[in-house]
Amino acid sequence: MHSELSDIHTQIMWNRLISVVEEQAQTLVRTAFSPIVRESGDLSAGVFDMDGRMLAQAVTGTPGHVNSMAESVKHFLIAFPAETMQEGDVYITNDPWKGTGHLHDMVVVTPAFLDGRLVALFACTSHLVDIGGIGFGPDGRDVIEEGLYLPFLRLIDRGVKNQTLIDIVRGNSRYPTEAEGDILSLAACNDIGVERLIEMMREFRLETLRGLAEHIITQSRNAVEAQISALPDGSYSSSMRVDGYEQPIDLVATLTVKGSTITIDFEGSSGASSKGINVPLTYAQAYSTYGVRVLVAPDIPNNAGSLEPIRVTAPMNCILNAQRPAPVSSRHIIGQMLPDVVFGCLAQIPAIQPPAEGTSCLWNLILENHASTANGATGDFNRFSVLSVQTGGVGGRPSLDGLSATAFPSGVSGVPVEIIESISPLLFRCKELRPDSGGPGTYRGGLGQHIEIQNRDPVDFDLYAALDRIVHPPRGRNGGKAGGSGYVGLGSGRTLNGKGRQTVPAGDWLVVLTPGGAGYGAPVDRPREAVASDIDNGLVSAAAAAGDYSFGT
């Protein structure tokens, strides 16, 4: 590579490649029909070489989508070998075990051709608002109940759209226009990626990406291996108990540092659930790897090379390696807890200082009213299905307070209230930070939220609850205290379950308290001026400050 291009020239091309995939992602954001995609950035986009190795990912996107998509493209190449690909082809699947973990996520792959030669692959993922079945909740007893399954198929065959496939998707979705629009937006974003890549290759007079690909992967792998090699060899174990569905779930990990590799084994974790909170291994690998990367090698670009030195295993049929046909619709609830489990292992290495535990899993509020005269409803009421992304607090950090109402580790944004209210009859009665929910510590945990939602139409609506950290709140680190537990109930006072489909009666309203992040370090060591500032800003009450920090006593 050095005989062909200078280091500077190579770095310019590498950066250009990242800008190509970011424009690819932004095209998806601008054209998607689902609010969780266009408002929250719940997606992934990337470019791959012809061996299915991810060369660059867009900054916009989630670790669960990006890192599982990095494996998914290899499965596409098995279904559609490179030598069979044609210009104008586009491929699709939502296979949870060979895609990104559940049926609501579509993965689309498009080959890129330069002067008739295949030079790269583009892939992207986004969440569809509805894919049929019982809806987006954890109540399914198997993946068949959870919605329409698409094996590896041609979405577009040499420029001709597979209308039969589109018709099948439309026929199995409660919102067919949105489903079709989201699928076509995935194809459109890959098209932009292909166009920009070809422009780049012509500009730099490249006939192939092979040399650049080897440079990216080798440099990234070597950089991560160097960081791992600086850690002491050894095995470190950690466990976490979360609410689960039928019963609590134990997540148990042993992280082993050996030379230039890290292995994470989830032996000892709970078995698979009968409900849809199970996690396909690819999704468990995605978030576990991310947990290592953000602490051990945070500044190294994410690609096949930087992911290679980190290996993740889990016993067959445990909750982190559920096998088809296990239900997996709400796999994010358990999967997004895994960075905190990994942090528990890494905290035992003196040079590494992870934050305290946070809410971790998204508190997505899936709210629907499918009322129609066919199922007994009367009157002219609005039919809707919305996914309102909500967040809790992040744990306190070694030198900073935790972030409030922030999605870590997923990194998505909340859907604005104005958007939800404009596309549905829902009214947000309240949406504010939740005082005293941040765990006490030298560095306080981030605050959760207090949210209240009512239907402006005088009819019931349903909550598809997939929430956690209600019974088992985030735990503090280095003497910090636990964050506030979550809560879900009705304005009339009845407590609802953290998981499962439940009805909010007409005239009543939904009350949600998202969990707060845990504290880091002993509360007694928190500076007095910091406590006073928290009181002044309404983040901590005077009573809690007196009890937790002995402030004013």
Side-chain angles (χ1 to χ4, degrees):
M1 190 67 187
H2 285 284
S3 62
E4 301 172 10
L5 298 165
S6 69
D7 287 338
I8 294 176
H9 199 196
T10 303
Q11 189 63 45
I12 290 171
M13 289 195 296
W14 190 349
N15 289 341
R16 177 73 171 273
L17 205 56
I18 292 172
S19 74
V20 166
V21 293
E22 185 58 27
E23 185 173 354
Q24 176 196 3
Q26 290 304 316
T27 301
L28 182 53
V29 169
R30 292 192 297 270
T31 59
F33 280 51
S34 295
I36 193 174
V37 181
R38 66 174 187 264
E39 302 293 339
S40 299
D42 190 34
L43 57 93
S44 65
V47 61
F48 296 71
D49 71 4
M50 290 179 291
D51 294 322
R53 300 182 299 178
M54 186 170 69
L55 305 182
Q57 62 148 98
V59 175
T60 303
T62 75
H65 281 144
V66 170
N67 290 347
S68 55
M69 183 184 71
E71 290 299 313
S72 180
V73 173
K74 298 172 185 174
H75 295 294
F76 275 90
L77 282 169
I78 293 172
F80 304 103
E83 60 271 17
T84 68
M85 293 181 175
Q86 301 290 327
E87 286 194 69
D89 282 356
V90 180
Y91 315 109
I92 189 170
T93 191
N94 67 342
D95 186 318
W97 287 269
K98 296 178 180 179
T100 62
H102 67 181
L103 294 173
H104 281 75
D105 285 346
M106 291 290 174
V107 185
V108 169
V109 170
T110 303
F113 288 83
L114 173 65
D115 298 328
R117 292 176 291 103
L118 179 64
V119 293
L121 302 167
F122 280 85
C124 58
T125 308
S126 74
H127 181 101
L128 269 63
V129 65
D130 184 81
I131 196 66
I134 63 170
F136 184 28
D139 294 308
R141 294 167 297 181
D142 58 38
V143 72
I144 309 302
E145 285 189 341
E146 292 183 324
L148 175 67
Y149 162 70
L150 299 180
F152 290 87
L153 297 169
R154 280 183 169 83
L155 172 61
I156 301 175
D157 186 357
R158 288 172 290 181
V160 179
K161 183 172 66 174
N162 185 343
Q163 190 59 47
T164 300
L165 171 59
I166 296 295
D167 289 344
I168 290 172
V169 173
R170 290 181 60 95
N172 282 274
S173 176
R174 299 173 182 88
Y175 301 92
T177 300
E178 289 82 353
E180 179 178 3
D182 280 330
I183 287 175
L184 296 181
S185 74
L186 289 162
C189 95
N190 278 358
D191 282 348
I192 290 296
V194 171
E195 288 180 19
R196 296 296 180 264
L197 176 67
I198 300 308
E199 290 173 5
M200 168 191 157
M201 293 182 70
R202 293 195 190 283
E203 179 180 337
F204 289 99
R205 299 179 182 178
L206 296 175
E207 295 184 357
T208 175
L209 288 180
R210 189 170 294 110
L212 180 60
E214 290 303 327
H215 174 80
I216 290 172
I217 290 172
T218 300
Q219 291 292 103
S220 301
R221 182 178 59 245
N222 291 347
V224 172
E225 288 179 343
Q227 297 283 56
I228 295 174
S229 297
L231 303 176
D233 282 0
S235 292
Y236 311 91
S237 296
S238 177
S239 64
M240 175 193 292
R241 175 163 287 189
V242 296
D243 299 354
Y245 196 134
E246 320 97 307
Q247 58 190 11
I249 298 295
D250 289 315
L251 304 174
V252 181
T254 299
L255 183 149
T256 300
V257 179
K258 185 175 182 181
S260 59
T261 63
I262 285 178
T263 302
I264 305 167
D265 183 12
F266 286 102
E267 178 75 40
S269 296
S270 295
S273 171
S274 64
K275 298 291 187 177
I277 60 172
N278 296 295
V279 185
L281 182 60
T282 183
Y283 194 79
Q285 290 170 331
Y287 270 110
S288 302
T289 302
Y290 177 74
V292 172
R293 294 274 281 109
V294 295
L295 290 180
V296 174
D299 299 325
I300 300 167
N302 196 53
N303 53 54
S306 58
L307 293 171
E308 186 178 327
I310 306 165
R311 300 155 193 172
V312 180
T313 61
M316 190 81 74
N317 289 316
C318 84
I319 196 161
L320 299 176
N321 189 6
Q323 301 297 301
R324 184 179 175 88
V328 293
S329 179
S330 296
R331 88 295 191 222
H332 62 283
I333 292 298
I334 302 299
Q336 291 177 7
M337 299 290 189
L338 297 181
D340 271 343
V341 181
V342 171
F343 289 174
C345 297
L346 292 173
Q348 299 167 50
I349 300 176
I352 299 178
Q353 295 181 303
E357 293 179 2
T359 301
S360 299
C361 63
L362 288 170
W363 269 52
N364 289 337
L365 302 180
I366 299 101
L367 308 172
E368 296 189 345
N369 174 18
H370 296 319
S372 68
T373 54
N375 58 30
T378 58
D380 184 18
F381 301 122
N382 294 289
R383 189 169 185 255
F384 65 88
S385 175
V386 299
L387 197 167
S388 178
V389 176
Q390 302 299 339
T391 53
V394 177
R397 294 165 285 178
S399 59
L400 292 168
D401 291 341
L403 299 171
S404 298
T406 298
F408 178 84
S410 68
V412 301
S413 304
V415 177
V417 167
E418 294 81 2
I419 297 297
I420 299 299
E421 291 183 342
S422 70
I423 63 174
S424 76
L426 296 175
L427 171 70
F428 279 74
R429 297 165 52 100
C430 172
K431 190 174 191 291
E432 60 189 15
L433 291 179
R434 179 187 170 196
D436 296 333
S437 59
T442 308
Y443 298 101
R444 174 185 42 75
L447 274 60
Q449 299 181 75
H450 174 191
I451 303 164
E452 298 185 9
I453 305 175
Q454 187 169 12
N455 193 353
R456 286 173 287 185
D457 286 343
V459 292
D460 301 350
F461 69 96
D462 291 329
L463 165 70
Y464 290 74
L467 315 172
D468 214 284
R469 300 288 206 188
I470 294 173
V471 180
H472 300 88
R475 298 173 299 182
R477 198 177 304 283
N478 291 356
K481 304 301 181 182
S485 296
Y487 170 83
V488 59
L490 300 178
S492 57
R494 180 162 64 92
T495 298
L496 299 180
N497 296 323
K499 298 196 175 60
R501 181 178 177 179
Q502 297 154 93
T503 297
V504 179
D508 211 336
W509 61 92
L510 183 67
V511 178
V512 174
L513 304 178
T514 68
Y520 188 101
V524 69
D525 294 329
R526 184 165 179 78
R528 313 309 282 170
E529 58 271 21
V531 179
S533 176
D534 285 346
I535 296 172
D536 290 343
N537 289 313
L539 306 180
V540 175
S541 67
D548 295 328
Y549 297 101
S550 300
F551 186 82
T553 59

